[in-house]
Every structure is written in C-alpha cells, then in structure tokens.
C-alpha cells in the first residue's frame, strides 16, 4: 500500500484545519450558505434529503485493516454505526452533523484517508478492479498506475473547476470488472509485443 | 417549487443536523410537518419565505413546498415532500427511528 509522505501528511492535515475554520465560520454566521457550499463540496460534504452526507475516498479500492477499523470507529462515534460502500469505491456516512465533520476528517487523516475530491466538478476517486493483484486473468496490478493518477489529479489546479465531475478507472485484466467503459477515461492494460518479457502496457 | 397547489409550507434543512425542518406559525422551526404553518394565501407565503430567508443562520435551502390541509395539520402533496416529512423508508434510521427502537 502507498504510505503518505511528509508532504502528503502535511497537505491532508492542512486541508482538515482549513475546513475546520470554514465550518466554524459557517456556524457562527460569518459565511453564508452560498459562500460555504463550494467549500463543503471540495471536502465531500453533501446536504441531502434527510441529512448531511460525507463521502470518503478509498483510492482504487485498497483499504487496510487499520483503515477499516477507523471507518467503523467513525460510524460508531459520529454516525449511526454504519456506512454505505459505493460502486465507485467510496464509503458514505449518511448522518454526520456538520460540526462533527472536521473531527471525522481528522480521524481519517490519522489513517491516511480523506474526502478530498469526492464531490464537485473535479477528478474523482480513481477506481480499479476490486480483484486487483488477486485476479488470475490479470496482466499486472493496476494500482501503481492508479496511485500515479491519484497523485497527479489531487489538487491539480487545472481540474478543480471542470464543467462536470470527471471519473477515471483502471483495470489490469481483459475482463472489465472496473467498468472502465462507463468512465470518462477508462484505462485497460494490454500485453504488448516488444516490451521486455511481453510486459503489460496501457 | 411548483405553484400548482394554493397552500404552502416553508421548509428547509437544519444547518447543524441537516434535518428537514418546517416553519411554524410562531416563527419557530419544527421537525414535524403537522406542526408547520399551512399558508393558503400565496402573497403571505412569499412574505413568510422572505422572512425565513432573512433569518439566515440556522436553516439552509429554504423554499415553499406545496401542502394541503389534513385532519392533523398540513400534509404533503408531492412524493418528494412525503419522503422528507416521513424520513427514510428504512424506518430504523432518521425520523422513524424513535418509534421503532
């Protein structure tokens, strides 16, 4: 699994602190809803029919036991004891209170997770075959490439204000379990002649 | 929202909890549609909406929803408002939770 570098750690912590200040300003009335909405959408917070919803990214669907326990702890402490895993490898908490969300983001940062770019018109969580690295038909594990795309697209200034949301999926297998064809960009690994050892390429 | 029905309620979501709320006749925000003020005069409804929006602060996304008079207070007209009033169809969560735990 990818481990956060010091830069990643500082970036995510910085975003949590920034959002904490934005929520405080919204709650004390110094930000209007129109001013606050873009800020919450940059941090995965929706206001839905019955409550707020927080969508947390699980990059290319890879989750450690420690992260899974942190998600469960968040559900117990700040939500109703459950979350909803989505088809795009996110988890959604359906009952968070606005004032608790900075603490939830802090708990996510403790285990190298966040809700950045899980909403809004930007490049969303990069998804991969859920059987990555365990599939018999796989040419190569797609997740290192997914990680490169994630790093490239996270906080990329050119892609923060797209006309609409934008989604990328990648698979290392001929069987399209990552549903790449339904994405804005679908990447599929193919075995290419001429590469050393007939290695896979994109 | 739709102008199809004469009667309206003022509704929105609570800023802190996200809950569906309605404006009562005394100007308080309440959780139950039955306790909302049913406003049958369109001009007064628009005025109440403006007042509610001017309050700012505690309630988000305020609008007028169609409603009709029922035996126990206002009732929803559109199914979306029925969902909002009743809470999620999974009764163990949301507004229906208290009655089922």
């Amino acid at each position: 699994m990818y481990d956060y570098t010091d830069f990643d750690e500082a970036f995510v912590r910085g975003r949590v602190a920034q959002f904490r200040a934005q929520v405080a300003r919204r709650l004390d009335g110094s930000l209007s809803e129109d001013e606050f909405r873009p800020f919450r959408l940059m941090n995965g917070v929706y206001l839905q029919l019955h409550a707020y919803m927080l969508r947390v990214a699980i990059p290319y669907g890879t989750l450690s036991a420690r992260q899974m326990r942190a998600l469960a702890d968040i559900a117990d402490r700040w939500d109703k004891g459950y979350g909803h895993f989505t088809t795009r490898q996110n988890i959604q908490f359906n009952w968070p209170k606005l004032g608790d969300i900075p603490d939830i983001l802090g708990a996510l940062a403790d285990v190298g997770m966040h809700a950045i770019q899980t909403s809004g018109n930007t490049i969303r969580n990069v998804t991969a075959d859920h059987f990555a690295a365990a599939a018999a038909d796989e040419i190569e594990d797609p997740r290192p490439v997914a990680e490169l795309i994630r790093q490239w697209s996270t906080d990329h200034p050119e892609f923060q204000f797209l006309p609409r949301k934008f989604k990328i999926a990648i698979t290392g297998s001929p069987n399209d379990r990552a549903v790449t064809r339904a994405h804005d960009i679908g990447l599929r690994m193919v075995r290419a002649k001429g590469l050393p050892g007939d290695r896979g390429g994109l | 929202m739709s102008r199809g029905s004469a009667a309206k309620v003022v509704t929105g979501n609570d800023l802190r909890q996200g809950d569906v709320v309605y404006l009562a006749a005394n100007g308080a925000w309440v959780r139950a549609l039955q306790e909302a003020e049913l406003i049958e005069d369109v001009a007064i409804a628009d005025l109440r909406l403006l007042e509610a929006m001017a309050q700012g602060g505690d309630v988000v996304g305020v609008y007028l929803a169609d409603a009709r008079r029922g035996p126990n207070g206002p009732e929803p007209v559109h199914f979306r408002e029925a969902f909002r009033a009743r809470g999620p169809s999974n009764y163990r969560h949301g507004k229906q939770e208290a009655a089922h735990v």
Side-chain angles (χ1 to χ4, degrees):
Chain A
M1 280 188 75
Y2 178 78
D3 285 323
Y4 276 14
T5 63
D6 290 346
F7 176 87
D8 299 332
E9 173 78 17
F11 173 75
V12 171
R13 295 284 178 193
R15 281 290 292 259
V16 174
Q18 189 183 51
F19 190 59
R20 188 180 296 281
Q22 289 163 349
V23 169
R25 281 186 285 148
R26 177 68 188 107
L27 292 177
D28 75 15
S30 39
L31 285 180
S32 70
E33 185 59 21
D34 284 347
E35 290 167 326
F36 178 66
R37 191 183 302 109
F39 296 149
R40 70 169 160 78
L41 289 177
M42 288 175 90
N43 290 281
V45 183
Y46 287 79
L47 180 55
Q48 295 191 318
L49 206 57
H50 303 294
Y52 286 102
M53 183 272 279
L54 175 68
R55 182 181 295 141
V56 176
I58 302 170
Y60 35 92
T62 298
L63 198 59
S64 69
R66 185 166 163 259
Q67 289 172 324
M68 186 65 224
R69 287 195 187 93
L71 293 175
D73 186 47
I74 287 167
D76 281 343
R77 286 178 68 184
W78 292 294
D79 207 279
K80 289 180 183 279
Y82 68 97
H84 169 210
F85 284 100
T86 75
T87 53
R88 290 205 73 259
Q89 303 181 327
N90 299 294
I91 183 169
Q92 298 180 175
F93 294 109
N94 287 290
W95 302 97
K97 298 184 176 26
L98 183 60
D100 289 338
I101 292 175
D103 288 340
I104 298 175
L105 295 180
L108 289 170
D110 289 344
V111 292
M113 298 183 81
H114 59 72
I116 296 165
Q117 289 181 209
T118 58
S119 57
N121 294 331
T122 181
I123 298 177
R124 303 292 189 86
N125 189 31
V126 179
T127 55
D129 182 358
H130 45 282
F131 292 149
D137 61 349
E138 189 170 89
I139 296 165
E140 271 194 42
D141 188 341
R143 293 172 303 172
V145 176
E147 174 57 31
L148 288 175
I149 297 168
R150 185 185 76 86
Q151 293 194 12
W152 166 80
S153 61
T154 299
D155 209 35
H156 194 306
E158 244 180 294
F159 306 122
Q160 294 304 306
F161 302 96
L162 294 171
R164 197 67 185 93
K165 58 189 178 181
F166 198 87
K167 299 177 180 182
I168 302 175
I170 177 168
T171 180
S173 301
N175 294 305
D176 190 12
R177 286 179 296 267
V179 203
T180 58
R181 288 176 180 218
H183 281 73
D184 297 297
I185 294 181
L187 297 166
R188 188 165 63 83
M189 224 169 264
V190 292
R191 212 174 280 284
K193 291 250 182 285
L195 288 172
D198 265 1
R199 281 195 49 229
L202 283 169
Chain B
M1 296 299 278
S2 161
R3 298 273 161 174
S5 163
K8 306 283 180 190
V9 293
V10 179
T11 183
N13 287 76
D14 180 83
L15 169 67
R16 287 171 173 76
Q17 318 281 325
D19 288 349
V20 174
V21 291
Y22 302 95
L23 193 64
N26 65 1
W29 292 100
V30 294
R31 257 58 176 175
L33 174 58
Q34 287 81 7
E35 295 168 19
E37 178 188 17
L38 186 73
I39 313 161
E40 285 167 304
D41 183 319
V42 175
I44 293 175
D46 286 339
L47 191 65
R48 294 287 274 160
L49 176 65
L50 287 174
E51 286 168 3
M53 289 166 86
Q55 271 188 33
D58 292 336
V59 176
V60 178
V62 183
Y63 64 95
L64 292 175
D66 290 346
R68 61 177 157 240
R69 185 176 298 282
N72 301 311
E75 291 178 351
V77 174
H78 194 278
F79 64 82
R80 182 177 190 275
E81 292 305 324
F83 292 151
R84 292 181 76 244
R86 192 174 55 235
S89 55
N90 179 344
Y91 58 76
R92 292 183 186 281
H93 306 288
K95 282 187 177 177
Q96 301 189 77
E97 188 179 4
H100 287 87
V101 283

